[in-house]
Amino acid sequence: CQRESTSRGRSRMWDVLFQRFAKIFIGCLAAVTSGMMYALYLSAYHERKFWFSNRQELEREITFQGDSAIYYSYYKDMLKAPSFERGVYELTHNNKTVSLKTINAVQQMSLYPELIASVLYQATGSNEIIEPVYFYIGIVFGLQGIYVTALFVTSWLMSGTWLAGMLTVAWFIINRVDTTRIEYSIPLRENWALPYFACQIAALTGYLKSNLNTYGERFCYLLMSASTYTFMMMWEYSHYLLFLQAISLFLLDSFSLQQSDKVHEVYKIYIFSLFLGYLLQFENSALLVSPLLSLVVALMLAKCLQLNVKKGTFIAKIMKVINFYLVCTLTVTLNIIMKMFVPHKENGHMLKFLEVKFGLNMTKNFTMNWLLCQESLQAPSQDFFLRLTQSSLLPFYILVLIICFLSMMQVIFRRINGKSLKETITLEDGRIGGRPEIIYHVIHTILLGSLAMVIEGLKYLWTPYVCMLAAFGVCSPELWMTLFKWLRLRTVHPVLLALILSMAVPTIIGLSLWKEFFPRLMTELMELQEFYDPDTVELMTWIKRQAPVAAVFAGSPQLMGAIKLCTGWMVTSLPLYNDDDLLKRNENIYQIYSKRSAEDIYKILTSYKANYLIVEDAICNEVGTMRGCRVKDLLDIANGHVVCEEGDKLTYSKYGRFCHEVKINYSPYVNYFTRVYWNRSYFVYKINTVISFQS
């Protein structure tokens, strides 16, 4: 009998191990397959949208618009350099892009992705197999596949079933208009950085789990360290996103919902990443004055000062409040001190923008008002919420968030009242709010969602989170069990019903999504679109054939980015908004669309050593959809050529709009500018070096 029981026990153990292995194997296979399929889908959609393989190199490059063109142009420069060291030196001491200005392009534009891509392209021998542009966009599409895989794994870790990962991927792809900007601007920094952030979140989710073994904990810690540092190197705004994450972890620790040791280990990763990033980003002072560093240092100091704040006594509760106040005060104080003693060029214009955005200040400044008019910096439109609702994502997200939040608050109040709670939570407990990784995600998604409700561009950070959290919730038996505990369900066994619903609900959602949206995705892949811009192609061709190599071009920043990429000629401004001097240049060059005299415009352009001026008909004759947001309207406001608020008086300029007047070819405009090329969209004028006044 004893031998039989022993053999049965071994058999059961092997069965359990086999089932666990099969579950993990199938889940990993599904996660990797989802990522690969998404990357292939992006590649196929991009080919269909632009007819990319049938285009000439110049036409392909025109598809990179604005700041995306700048990033890709430096990738081309690295491939042309005689050596990697020489290429890096030319980028860090770059005086061939913007006239009269030497910039460290690697630091200022976070060009580490381009450096890595150029090294990989040459080191792997890909220059004999594939064109540079395909290699570049292939890496970005591959990273997007990793992004989807990381979201899959995170949802799987939270729910315990890979079915949640499949639903996450489905919602992500269906709502890709609101989850990613990869279709419009491939080289954007966020497209390079957010996949690493998704990997960091997946590793952090696993690290916070209470039932994780030692080896799993070490793996998650190493992955979290590597992805945190890489994320910080890829995107200049990454430390602000990590700051929100640090706040979430601080609140998690304050409510005693996780062991302090694990949370403080994450703080050490932040410190290490900031220090290493500071050294390898040419002593980037922005990292030293970042709120992330101030918060983490304050948390470390508060930990040294706190005394027994995690007991259930009344004094301990008072100490918690004092600890919270201490951390907030120390963070603000340290940040002020760092800014006083560390020389930095922080984005002061962004602080002014936020003041105007929230109605704390009023301004007629062109740059501020222009930023406020950008669609990505507006509040989300109703269409955004309508799209999320039509895909059933938003309703399920709200349901999951409410249940998790209420359960979290229930656990917190029990802890405040001194009630002891089991460290190991079972399905029968119906207490999903007691799991640290769930609480972290609830807090984090609330913070991201609050920002996304103010600035639409931040929806690309929040919406993937929405997909992941909603999918986890509907696939989690614990969430359904928590709901049934509150409803005190007795007619049906709650555990059995929770298990059934956690399988049935996502299956029904998946089938409905498949039926409604899969045909649309297939239609998009089959439909041949056309990106045709002959005027821009003609302009770039003329510049390469007719303009002197040493010529400097002036025009709108977006067009200047395309000229830098397609021709390599020097320009007066760039579509970058993290440098005060470049912002001032952009405003000055935009004066070609204002009501200023020919002499004023001539002085502005010659001060930047410009040889050619390009006037865009689309800006000069712009018909804006948003009132007062056309470039010429914003210039009139800044220059005082519109209604004055005091007394509602009209002020007129004695000059006509320059972009109109210069086309007429009469004095004094012909004295300063000579038209040398034009087509339906662009008018190119040579800026005369010797002025001959004509009657």
Side-chain angles (χ1 to χ4, degrees):
C1 291
Q2 187 174 359
R3 288 180 179 177
E4 280 187 27
S5 63
T6 304
S7 62
R8 287 177 183 174
R10 289 178 179 175
S11 178
R12 289 175 183 172
M13 182 183 70
W14 283 111
D15 288 342
V16 171
L17 288 175
F18 177 77
Q19 290 176 5
R20 184 175 297 177
F21 173 79
K23 180 181 177 181
I24 294 174
F25 176 77
I26 294 174
C28 291
L29 183 63
V32 173
T33 303
S34 298
M36 292 177 62
M37 293 299 292
Y38 179 60
L40 292 173
Y41 168 79
L42 287 177
S43 179
Y45 180 78
H46 182 262
E47 172 64 27
R48 290 283 182 174
K49 183 176 181 179
F50 295 108
W51 290 24
F52 213 66
S53 59
N54 297 321
R55 300 285 185 182
Q56 299 296 323
E57 183 180 6
L58 178 60
E59 294 175 314
R60 292 174 184 172
E61 291 176 349
I62 287 174
T63 63
F64 297 111
Q65 301 289 323
D67 50 349
S68 295
I70 297 298
Y71 298 132
Y72 183 74
S73 72
Y74 287 122
Y75 167 71
K76 283 180 58 180
D77 291 345
M78 282 298 299
L79 295 180
K80 294 176 183 176
S83 66
F84 177 75
E85 293 78 9
R86 183 62 187 174
V88 172
Y89 178 83
E90 289 179 355
L91 291 186
T92 54
H93 301 77
N94 188 281
N95 58 2
K96 297 179 180 179
T97 299
V98 184
S99 61
L100 302 179
K101 189 176 178 67
T102 300
I103 58 176
N104 183 341
V106 177
Q107 179 186 5
Q108 190 164 344
M109 303 176 198
S110 299
L111 294 181
Y112 298 96
E114 282 66 34
L115 297 183
I116 295 171
S118 63
V119 169
L120 290 176
Y121 183 71
Q122 294 174 332
T124 57
S126 300
N127 51 346
E128 301 176 358
I129 305 172
I130 188 173
E131 296 179 56
V133 65
Y134 281 107
F135 186 82
Y136 184 88
I137 65 176
I139 292 179
V140 182
F141 290 156
L143 285 174
Q144 299 309 300
I146 294 174
Y147 191 5
V148 164
T149 300
L151 293 174
F152 183 111
V153 172
T154 305
S155 189
W156 180 16
L157 287 171
M158 293 166 66
S159 63
T161 171
W162 51 266
L163 191 62
M166 297 293 291
L167 188 56
T168 300
V169 174
W171 266 327
F172 183 92
I173 296 175
I174 289 169
N175 295 282
R176 71 185 189 282
V177 175
D178 302 305
T179 56
T180 177
R181 279 193 281 202
I182 188 69
E183 294 179 11
Y184 311 105
S185 304
I186 293 175
L188 283 182
R189 301 300 84 179
E190 64 191 59
N191 293 332
W192 286 89
L194 290 182
Y196 295 102
F197 186 56
C199 291
Q200 193 255 15
I201 288 178
L204 179 59
T205 302
Y207 185 69
L208 292 176
K209 289 177 72 71
S210 302
N211 57 349
L212 192 66
N213 59 47
T214 305
Y215 294 105
E217 191 173 300
R218 289 177 181 174
F219 173 76
C220 289
Y221 184 82
L222 291 174
L223 178 59
M224 187 166 41
S225 302
S227 53
T228 301
Y229 171 69
T230 308
F231 174 56
M232 194 171 291
M233 294 292 289
M234 292 290 173
W235 197 17
E236 61 178 318
Y237 300 116
S238 57
H239 57 90
Y240 293 111
L241 197 51
L242 292 174
F243 172 67
L244 292 179
Q245 188 181 76
I247 293 176
S248 305
L249 292 172
F250 166 54
L251 294 175
L252 178 66
D253 184 40
S254 298
F255 296 132
S256 301
L257 296 172
Q258 176 60 308
Q259 297 176 354
S260 246
D261 294 339
K262 279 191 174 183
V263 174
H264 282 273
E265 286 298 321
V266 181
Y267 295 156
K268 292 177 183 178
I269 293 176
Y270 293 150
I271 293 286
F272 174 77
S273 299
L274 284 167
F275 176 72
L276 197 59
Y278 170 75
L279 294 179
L280 296 182
Q281 290 185 7
F282 307 93
E283 299 184 356
N284 185 4
S285 58
L287 297 180
L288 295 183
V289 299
S290 68
L292 175 63
L293 180 61
S294 301
L295 175 62
V296 173
V297 172
L299 289 166
M300 294 292 189
L301 292 174
K303 184 186 178 184
C304 298
L305 298 175
Q306 68 183 2
L307 301 171
N308 196 24
V309 297
K310 294 202 172 179
K311 303 294 182 182
T313 62
F314 175 75
I315 296 177
K317 296 173 185 177
I318 299 298
M319 289 298 295
K320 277 184 180 292
V321 178
I322 295 175
N323 181 66
F324 188 86
Y325 174 77
L326 179 64
V327 169
C328 296
T329 306
L330 277 174
T331 301
V332 176
T333 305
L334 287 171
N335 194 252
I336 293 173
I337 293 173
M338 292 297 289
K339 288 182 178 179
M340 288 174 58
F341 291 97
V342 176
H344 66 283
K345 293 181 180 179
E346 196 183 20
N347 298 329
H349 61 280
M350 292 304 296
L351 297 177
K352 295 177 183 177
F353 162 76
L354 292 175
E355 289 181 2
V356 179
K357 174 74 177 177
F358 294 110
L360 302 177
N361 198 357
M362 296 294 290
T363 182
K364 293 183 179 180
N365 181 269
F366 169 80
T367 301
M368 289 298 106
N369 289 326
W370 185 82
L371 288 173
L372 284 168
C373 285
Q374 299 305 298
E375 185 178 351
S376 61
L377 297 176
Q378 299 290 319
S381 62
Q382 293 182 354
D383 293 339
F384 167 61
F385 299 104
L386 182 61
R387 288 191 297 269
L388 296 188
T389 303
Q390 288 175 340
S391 64
S392 73
L393 175 59
L394 191 59
F396 282 107
Y397 167 75
I398 293 173
L399 173 65
V400 171
L401 183 61
I402 289 174
I403 294 174
C404 290
F405 181 78
L406 293 178
S407 181
M408 177 187 76
M409 298 305 297
Q410 188 179 37
V411 171
I412 291 172
F413 283 126
R414 286 181 179 179
R415 287 187 181 274
I416 291 175
N417 293 330
K419 294 182 181 179
S420 59
L421 298 172
K422 292 193 302 182
E423 292 186 6
T424 304
I425 301 172
T426 61
L427 178 59
E428 290 79 5
D429 294 330
R431 186 159 48 87
I432 197 169
R435 290 172 52 188
E437 70 274 18
I438 304 301
I439 305 309
Y440 156 72
H441 282 289
V442 170
I443 297 173
H444 201 179
T445 191
I446 290 174
L447 292 177
L448 288 175
S450 301
L451 293 175
M453 294 303 102
V454 179
I455 300 176
E456 185 176 13
L458 296 178
K459 70 181 180 181
Y460 300 107
L461 304 175
W462 179 63
T463 314
Y465 233 109
V466 172
C467 299
M468 181 187 65
L469 204 66
F472 136 74
V474 298
C475 297
S476 174
E478 287 183 68
L479 183 129
W480 295 109
M481 191 63 195
T482 302
L483 180 61
F484 296 153
K485 279 281 187 179
W486 293 342
L487 298 176
R488 297 183 179 180
L489 185 66
R490 300 188 186 277
T491 54
V492 183
H493 197 283
V495 175
L496 178 61
L497 186 58
L499 291 170
I500 293 173
L501 287 178
S502 65
M503 294 290 290
V505 173
T507 302
I508 294 171
I509 295 172
L511 291 174
S512 63
L513 293 178
W514 178 279
K515 182 179 179 181
E516 182 176 355
F517 292 98
F518 183 74
R520 298 185 190 178
L521 296 177
M522 291 299 100
T523 303
E524 288 177 351
L525 287 181
M526 298 302 294
E527 182 181 359
L528 284 173
Q529 302 182 43
E530 187 172 5
F531 180 84
Y532 188 57
D533 190 359
D535 292 345
T536 305
V537 172
E538 291 173 7
L539 173 66
M540 300 304 169
T541 303
W542 181 87
I543 292 174
K544 294 173 75 172
R545 291 177 179 175
Q546 301 295 329
V549 177
V552 178
F553 283 84
S556 70
Q558 286 71 26
L559 181 60
M560 295 301 100
I563 288 177
K564 170 64 178 71
L565 168 60
C566 298
T567 68
W569 265 244
M570 193 176 291
V571 295
T572 56
S573 59
L574 290 175
L576 298 172
Y577 313 109
N578 58 355
D579 183 275
D580 291 336
D581 180 61
L582 286 177
L583 285 173
K584 188 62 179 176
R585 280 176 177 246
N586 292 344
E587 181 177 351
N588 289 338
I589 299 299
Y590 265 132
Q591 296 296 325
I592 61 178
Y593 301 105
S594 68
K595 297 177 180 179
R596 299 278 294 272
S597 68
E599 184 180 3
D600 288 345
I601 302 300
Y602 181 81
K603 288 180 179 178
I604 291 173
L605 296 175
T606 53
S607 68
Y608 295 122
K609 301 297 182 182
N611 304 113
Y612 291 89
L613 167 66
I614 303 177
V615 175
E616 296 174 64
D617 217 36
I619 300 178
C620 189
N621 300 315
E622 182 181 4
V623 180
T625 55
M626 189 179 299
R627 183 181 178 185
C629 277
R630 297 181 301 180
V631 168
K632 52 189 179 182
D633 294 337
L634 297 176
L635 289 168
D636 290 345
I637 292 172
N639 295 335
H641 296 155
V642 293
V643 177
C644 291
E645 293 179 3
E646 294 143 6
D648 290 334
K649 295 179 181 177
L650 288 170
T651 59
Y652 295 96
S653 172
K654 61 181 181 180
Y655 304 105
R657 197 167 301 280
F658 176 82
C659 63
H660 289 149
E661 300 296 322
V662 74
K663 296 177 185 177
I664 303 176
N665 285 333
Y666 67 86
S667 182
Y669 296 92
V670 293
N671 302 330
Y672 298 99
F673 307 98
T674 302
R675 187 164 65 190
V676 291
Y677 173 80
W678 70 94
N679 59 31
R680 291 175 300 177
S681 302
Y682 304 102
F683 294 81
V684 182
Y685 296 88
K686 189 177 187 303
I687 301 171
N688 299 331
T689 52
V690 178
I691 304 173
S692 61
F693 289 93
Q694 303 176 18
S695 57

